[in-house]
Structure formats: structure tokens, C-alpha cells
Amino acid sequence: MDGTLFLQLLVSGLLIGGVYALISIGLTLIFGVMRIVNFAHGEFLMLSMFAAFWLFHFTGLSPYLLAPLVILLLFAYGVAIYVLVIRRTIGSPMVVQIFATVGLGLFMQNAALVLWSGDFRTIQTPASTALLRFAGIQVSQSMMIASLVAIVIALILFAFMAWTYPGKAIRATVQDRVGAQLMGVNIDRVFMMTFAIGSALVGIAGALLAPAYPIFPSVGANFGLASFVVVVLGGMGSMTGALLGGFLIGVVETFSGFFIDAALKQAVYFLVFILVLVFRPTGLLGQRGAEEIGLK
Amino acid sequence: MGEQKSGMKDILSTHLFTRRQILAGALGAAASAAVGPFFIKSAFAASDEIRIGTIFPMTGNMAFGGNEGFTGTEIARQIINEKGGIAGRQITFVKADAPDQTAATNEMNRLISREGVKLVIGSFSSAIAFTASAVAERNRVIFWENHGVADAITRRGFKYLFKSDINATGTGGGASNFAARYLAPKLGVKPKDLRVAIAWEDGTYGSSVGKGIESVAIDRGLKIVANESYSAKTTDLSPVILKLKAAEPDVLLVAGIGSDAVLFWKQVRDLDLNVKACVATSGGWGVPNFAQNLGASAEGIFSSDFPTDVNPRALTPEAAAMQKEFITRFEAAKGSRPTGNAYLAFAGTMLLFQHVLPKAPTLEPEKVQQAALSLDLLEGSMANGCGCKFIPPDQEDAGRNERAFSVVLQWQQGKVEVVWPERFANRDPIMVPLPTWSARG
């Protein structure tokens, strides 16, 4: 096998891995803090891709310029969904939370079908078709941007959690809800902020992926599955774990798709997933008892 | 609470019904069974209309195609009714909406047992055709399918199923045929030296089309250098594209169903896979959306597809007049040119209304079956250029129209044009060989 092909496979794998990581960060944040697995996560992504599409459609501006707007919209949507749905499930059994978020996902998908039909759409700009060439290979610029942003966001979020007051409040809440409350932390607001930030992170993912992928009501399901695997593989609630898990899944998927069979690539990454869970039940960077201690 | 529990126990420990109740219930059931048929609307209940069921996905994921199919079917009905109907009787449709297979079963049961229809026209989707026709067969109701392409639809030995369009082996095979008969000579190589790479999505649709591509490619002696499948739900096709690239094909033969087609071609460009031609097989590659989503990079792609706007010279005068009428009415209804899918609906329904039902206006299944099997229409007789001869029930592929065929379309300036075979073509093929991506800029 020649070096260029190897490099191309590796880079392609890292790029799609970066995309998975980007999508997963919001999911792992929400889980890490709130202990809620948001099964509507893929639909949040779909919604943000549609938001990016429509903003682009009506303004004609570059989707990258419109990204802040998408992020704001998704932040607001996150607040609304928290108030209307999620807040009512806090402290309820897991089953209630699962039903609530699965139901929310179904609702969003079907609402999208009614509003925008099942057709797929894409954003066409010079930016979405631009290519970067180096070392004899070429890669899509939009995918490159998405991957780099995933790394930057993971780092920023890490720093936010470690060194800022709201970050510390969030971590305190995770460690001991009652204790944090006694220290004057407004738990409800922390939860609302976390859910909204998680949602805004999906907004970033949607805005950056919109130029690279066809957009249709069930697009979220295709990405959603991979993001769940990434989050569990990386360690639930771990930002850097999500990053590492994303890249790992991407590379495994690309190489197994090439050397074994593209139709089997999911089977291969699930095999890796199962192996990791057998030997490291907490995931790559997760900590033991993550469901009690959580965020890293 | 305690009382409730013991009350529950009482009910459970004694018999749920007394013997008298059971007897009364049985009598009631027998009575309603006897009276029931009188409440079912007869097929000709409202004076002298011919009532026919239609089943399409009018809502949901496939709504676009389903509505298009229904419009084509409806235009056929209007034309026939304006000409005085069949044997002086007007046709009315009983509409059913089947966004998925479960709904297809339920709606077929409703059409048959509640509405009492004897013939149902469908259905846009292979999956819906597959399910709906099974319900029809069980109830001795004719199922007239104009769209579904999966080979399996006609592989069950059904007696009351007729399928007016081509099957997946045919559309897939059409791509290989085109590569061997047109592309190889055009590129100046013998078919055995033409390096072809095959790729297909691994669902019901793509896998049957993919098999069609492969078997005809082998028959025509093409040199298959790669044969890859992928899931249409995948988010990344780079391993597939890189594998194809490593095989250094001259021509790509592909089957994609929806948005995967856009992702596929986008990644072909991103990863700089240069081929001399790409022949797709309808599905996601032939829909208007495809070029809208890809812009200039869609130019020059071929698609072995349902006949669309074939050259009127290749049609009989009646079929040519019908084609013209259809285009005018479709444009008035939808504001766009009819697609191959709409043509299938129209041509297939006209076939039924003009050539079959006049011989069997009572819709008696055996009579309709006989009339359909007696058809012997040459190429150019249908509005989309096909002919018609159904394969009889005792043979393999019973009920399939063996004179349905595919043509090769090409994306030229954002539109699909018929380019091959020559007698049906409106334009000449262009961009053979395709320029490399770096030359296309």
C-alpha cells in the first residue's frame, strides 16, 4: 500500500471522526451534568442544519458567517425545551427521561417532515465545494473546518469547566446537588444553562456540517447513533473522551471500510466499542462511577 | 384498594361470560356477518361509476414521489372521463395514503373490505407495492403497479398482480448495456478492456439494481475491477470512494437511492476520483433534487432510467398525442415538467384504462386478468415509449411487462435529457470522456 493512500485514509478518518466528536460534545456535556441522555440529540442536529439552510437561503450569506445566529437560535431552543420538557423530568426515573426525549425527537422529526417535506437540500457555496490540497492528497475544506472547530471547542469547554465561576458551579452541582445548593448555587439555572449550552454546541455542529452534507428530516438519526457510541466510548461526561472517541471511531470506520468491507464498517466499530466496554467499562477517559461523579 | 383487589379476583375466578351471553354474542356475530355485505359499498354503488382504489405515499418521507405518481394517475382518469369514460361509465378514485408498509396493509384492507374496490392502482415505492399487492392477492383483487422496481415484487407467483414498468435488473442492466454498447466504442476500447467499477446501496432497491448491473456487465464481457456496497444511511463514503479509486476504473456504474447519491458524487469530487463516465441507475441520481444540490458538478452524469420525454418520433401517433396532452396537463397541475416517475404513473394507468378495462368493465378479476394477458402492444405504444406484454401466471416473473425498458438520460445544463438509445433521444450524449476534476475547476 502506498503512502499517499494511507495518508488519505488516515486524514479522511480523522475528518469524519472530528465531525462525530463535534456532534458528541453537546451530548456528553448534558449527560455529564444533568445525567440525562438526550435521545433527541440527532434531531437537535437536524434542526440546526435546517436553521443554517434557511438562514443561508434567505440571506445568501456564507454559512460560516451565519453560524453565530444558528448557535443563538439553538441556545434559545435549548432554554425553551428545558423549560417545557426537561425540567419536568429532573429527578424522575430514567424511563421517564428516555420517553420524554425519544418522544421529543419523534415530534421534531415529524414536524420537520410536515414543514419541509422529506426532500433533501444542500447549501451550495464556493466554501462548501472548496478543497485543500497537501502532500498529494486532498480534503474537503468544510470537513477540515468542522474537525478543527471540534478540537477548539473541546479545549474551550475544558477550560470553561476548570477555571470559570459558572464552570465551577456546574461541576459543584454534578458532585453534590444538595451541597452546591447550600453554597448558593442555583441548581435550576445551572441545569438550564447546561442544556442550552449543549444545544448551542449542536448548533455549531449543524452550522458547520450544513455546507458538507445533504439536509433532510431524518439526517439526525444517521449521525445520532455514531454520537452515542462516541460518548460512551470516550467515557460519559468527558469532553476530551468525546474528542478521542470521535477520532477513534472515524479512523476505525474508514480503515475497516477500505480493508474489510464498507458495508461492514459499522459492525467493526461496534466490535471495537464492545471490546472497550468489556475491558474498560467506564470508557476510554471516563471515571469509575461516572453516573455519580461525572464531569471531567 | 382492598375492595378493588377482591372485586378483581371475583371477576377472574368466575366465568367472564355466562352461557346465555355467549350464545347471544354468537347469534349477533352471525347476524352481522350475514348482513355485513349489504353495508359494504358495491363497486358500482353510486349509479354507474367504476370505482378504483389508489394507494400512494401521499404524506411522509416519500410524499414527493407519491404525490407525483398520484398526479400522473389522476391525469389519466381525467382524460378518459372527458372522453366519455369506459363503456360510457365514469371512473372515480377511492384514495388511500400509505406512507409506510404498515399503513399499506391497513389501507389496502380498508379499500377492499370497507370500500369494496376490486382494483387498486399504486404505489410509487417498491416496499409499498410489495406489501399492498400481497393483501390484494389474498383478497382476489387486482393490483396494478406502475412504479415499484424491486425484482421480488413479481417473484411470488401472484395471479392478480400486474406491473407495467421495468424491474431493477432491467434498470441496472441498462447501465451496463450502455457502457458496453455506447461508452466502450466511444472511448475507443473493446468492452472487455473497459474497466468498470460498481457501487450500490445495500437496501432492497440498491441491491437488486446492483445485481442487475453486475449480471449484465458479466454478460457483455465488461472488465469489473471493483464491486462495492454501502449503507444509504452512512455519513461518510470515503472508504468506498478510495477503494474504487484504487481500482482505477474507466467507468463508474452506481445505484443510489436518495441523499446518498449526492454524498457519493460530492465525495468522488472531494477525493479526486476521475472517471471517463459515470452511469447511475435512477433512484437518487435521477431526481431534480440531485442537480439542484450538486450544481455544475452533476453535469455529464448518465442515468439508466425510466423513459422521460422520449422523442415523439419514436411513438405511435396516438401515444405521441397522449404524451403531449400529458405534458400540458402535468405542467398546469404541478408547474414543472413530468419526471420519469410521473410518466410511469400516467402511461401505466392509460394502458389499464384504454386497453384493459374496456374488455373487462365489470372489474371481475378473472376478466381483467384475461384482458391484461391478451395485450400485445409494440414498443412506442405507451406514452413513455414502452410496449406491453405481460408474462403469464405460470411463468417466472408473472405479471411483469416484458416490453418495458429503460433509457439513458444525462444531466445537461441542470436538466435530464434522453440521450440513448438513439431512436428515443432528444439530445446527443456530451462530456464523454468526463474532464478531470482539476480541469473542471
Side-chain angles (χ1 to χ4, degrees):
Chain A
M1 173 180 200
D2 69 81
T4 318
L5 183 57
F6 181 82
L7 187 65
Q8 179 79 64
L9 279 171
L10 184 68
V11 171
S12 292
L14 288 174
L15 287 184
I16 186 70
V19 168
Y20 290 158
L22 182 64
I23 300 168
S24 311
I25 291 172
L27 185 66
T28 202
L29 175 73
I30 292 170
F31 175 79
V33 176
M34 304 171 67
R35 300 286 163 254
I36 284 180
V37 180
N38 182 10
F39 283 96
H41 191 75
E43 278 63 44
F44 275 64
L45 178 73
M46 176 274 293
L47 185 71
S48 58
M49 287 172 86
F50 266 109
F53 173 81
W54 287 113
L55 287 171
F56 166 78
H57 187 76
F58 289 119
T59 63
L61 295 172
S62 155
Y64 296 112
L65 281 177
L66 295 168
L69 215 51
V70 177
I71 295 166
L72 272 178
L73 280 175
L74 263 285
F75 186 88
Y77 185 74
V79 171
I81 291 299
Y82 175 78
V83 172
L84 292 173
V85 181
I86 306 296
R87 180 188 271 158
R88 294 156 208 272
T89 70
I90 303 267
S92 309
M94 191 76 168
V95 191
V96 174
Q97 299 174 346
I98 292 174
F99 280 131
T101 54
V102 168
L104 177 65
L106 282 175
F107 171 76
M108 287 171 69
Q109 205 181 103
N110 287 290
L113 268 174
V114 172
L115 289 173
W116 305 311
S117 85
D119 286 350
F120 52 90
R121 305 156 199 269
T122 52
I123 291 181
Q124 279 221 44
T125 65
S128 64
T129 55
L131 297 170
L132 301 171
R133 294 186 175 80
F134 57 89
I137 64 168
Q138 59 182 39
V139 295
S140 147
Q141 184 188 297
S142 48
M143 297 277 280
M144 192 64 146
I145 292 175
S147 295
L148 291 178
V149 169
I151 299 175
V152 173
I153 288 180
L155 293 177
I156 291 177
L157 210 55
F158 192 79
F160 172 79
M161 288 296 175
W163 295 308
T164 68
Y165 181 78
K168 283 178 186 165
I170 288 177
R171 282 194 299 149
T173 310
V174 172
Q175 283 167 8
D176 187 340
R177 281 183 197 182
V178 180
Q181 220 158 3
L182 288 174
M183 296 300 115
V185 175
N186 182 340
I187 305 277
D188 185 53
R189 183 172 303 163
V190 165
F191 281 172
M192 188 194 293
M193 281 296 291
T194 310
F195 198 79
I197 293 174
S199 174
L201 289 171
V202 188
I204 301 180
L208 298 181
L209 293 188
Y213 284 98
I215 303 160
F216 49 97
S218 55
V219 68
N222 299 353
F223 285 102
L225 181 66
S227 67
F228 280 108
V229 174
V230 165
V231 166
V232 178
L233 183 70
M236 295 185 84
S238 163
M239 304 297 143
T240 38
L243 202 57
L244 190 69
F247 285 128
L248 182 70
I249 292 290
V251 172
V252 166
E253 188 183 277
T254 308
F255 276 86
S256 62
F258 186 88
F259 289 107
I260 304 170
D261 189 339
L264 284 178
K265 65 181 190 177
Q266 276 197 335
V268 175
Y269 82 59
F270 273 106
L271 189 68
V272 172
F273 179 58
I274 291 167
L275 287 177
V276 168
L277 287 189
V278 167
F279 294 106
R280 261 195 82 83
T282 54
L284 292 173
L285 298 181
Q287 59 202 70
R288 194 176 309 188
E291 58 282 4
E292 281 96 43
I293 308 164
L295 215 61
K296 250 176 63 165
Chain B
M1 193 66 197
E3 251 173 65
Q4 258 181 352
K5 258 186 193 161
S6 68
M8 198 66 168
K9 204 172 154 198
D10 285 345
I11 291 174
L12 289 173
S13 60
T14 53
H15 294 290
L16 278 171
F17 301 104
T18 63
R19 204 172 290 170
R20 192 178 299 167
Q21 276 172 324
I22 291 173
L23 193 67
L27 277 174
S32 68
V35 175
F38 295 105
F39 291 121
I40 294 174
K41 294 172 206 153
S42 140
F44 310 115
S47 73
D48 210 20
E49 287 173 338
I50 302 182
R51 295 175 81 241
I52 290 176
T54 63
I55 189 160
F56 288 97
M58 308 296 286
T59 56
N61 256 333
M62 297 182 286
F64 180 79
N67 281 289
E68 222 178 22
F70 180 76
T71 306
T73 313
E74 171 66 14
I75 291 173
R77 183 183 78 92
Q78 286 167 3
I79 292 178
I80 292 295
N81 278 353
E82 282 167 28
K83 285 183 181 163
I86 295 169
R89 289 166 40 199
Q90 297 279 301
I91 304 163
T92 51
F93 281 161
V94 185
K95 281 172 74 172
D97 171 21
D100 55 48
Q101 284 173 296
T102 317
T105 308
N106 296 339
E107 285 295 274
M108 280 302 286
N109 280 322
R110 178 180 71 85
L111 285 178
I112 295 167
S113 53
R114 291 243 321 268
E115 298 288 345
V117 302
K118 292 275 170 231
L119 191 155
V120 181
I121 304 174
S123 71
F124 175 67
S125 136
S126 289
I128 290 169
F130 196 79
T131 321
S133 57
V135 181
E137 184 77 12
R138 255 203 318 273
N139 291 286
R140 287 183 61 244
V141 163
I142 299 277
F143 196 79
W144 191 272
E145 176 62 35
N146 294 323
H147 309 255
V149 291
D151 290 11
I153 297 172
T154 50
R155 294 279 159 84
R156 295 169 294 176
F158 282 5
K159 280 167 66 186
Y160 302 111
L161 166 69
F162 291 94
K163 200 171 90 66
S164 68
D165 65 329
I166 194 166
N167 65 6
T169 307
T171 38
S176 303
N177 207 18
F178 177 66
R181 297 243 175 105
Y182 179 83
L183 292 175
K186 182 85 181 168
L187 294 168
V189 292
K190 294 208 172 69
K192 71 176 172 56
D193 297 320
L194 189 72
R195 300 170 63 86
V196 299
I198 305 171
W200 40 280
E201 66 89 14
D202 58 10
T204 324
Y205 171 78
S207 44
S208 46
V209 177
K211 274 184 206 119
I213 298 178
E214 188 188 1
S215 66
V216 176
I218 293 169
D219 285 351
R220 298 267 178 276
L222 297 171
K223 191 183 177 99
I224 301 172
V225 293
N227 190 353
E228 291 297 317
S229 66
Y230 63 88
S231 158
K233 287 186 179 163
T234 191
T235 50
D236 181 41
L237 284 164
S238 50
V240 182
I241 309 290
L242 290 171
K243 229 167 158 174
L244 298 177
K245 191 178 175 179
E248 297 178 354
D250 294 319
V251 173
L252 276 181
L253 304 174
V254 288
I257 189 160
S259 62
D260 58 314
V262 173
L263 185 63
F264 192 101
W265 196 242
K266 188 177 181 307
Q267 293 203 304
V268 163
R269 186 194 56 211
D270 288 354
L271 296 166
D272 200 28
L273 165 56
N274 289 298
V275 286
K276 295 183 177 119
C278 173
V279 191
T281 46
S282 189
W285 295 80
V287 293
N289 235 341
F290 180 74
Q292 279 163 24
N293 283 307
L294 283 167
S297 62
E299 285 295 294
I301 293 175
F302 293 104
S303 173
S304 164
D305 220 309
F306 309 121
T308 312
D309 286 348
V310 297
N311 196 318
R313 277 191 326 241
L315 303 176
T316 61
E318 301 83 62
M322 237 165 17
Q323 185 198 37
K324 209 172 148 206
E325 179 78 32
F326 173 57
I327 296 172
T328 318
R329 289 187 189 231
F330 191 89
E331 281 178 341
K334 290 270 180 182
S336 60
R337 297 283 284 185
T339 58
N341 173 42
Y343 263 104
L344 290 181
F346 175 72
T349 309
M350 283 305 265
L351 179 73
L352 174 70
F353 289 172
Q354 284 192 311
H355 298 283
V356 179
L357 293 191
K359 293 181 202 161
T362 58
L363 303 191
E364 194 53 46
E366 268 68 32
K367 292 266 169 57
V368 177
Q369 189 196 31
Q370 234 174 13
L373 290 172
S374 70
L375 286 182
D376 188 0
L377 300 174
L378 296 177
E379 190 182 283
S381 311
M382 287 169 69
N384 64 352
C386 293
C388 184
K389 187 160 178 57
F390 287 112
I391 298 174
D394 46 349
Q395 291 175 26
E396 201 193 342
D397 258 353
R400 179 168 71 77
N401 174 8
E402 58 181 0
R403 293 205 187 134
F405 54 79
S406 64
V407 296
V408 175
L409 312 176
Q410 187 178 33
W411 284 105
Q412 296 187 0
Q413 273 153 5
K415 286 198 226 140
V416 278
E417 304 285 356
V418 183
V419 295
W420 197 82
E422 219 179 289
R423 61 185 185 284
F424 294 114
N426 291 312
R427 299 282 170 95
D428 289 328
I430 56 165
M431 293 171 85
V432 180
L434 279 176
T436 60
W437 290 114
S438 47
R440 288 173 90 163

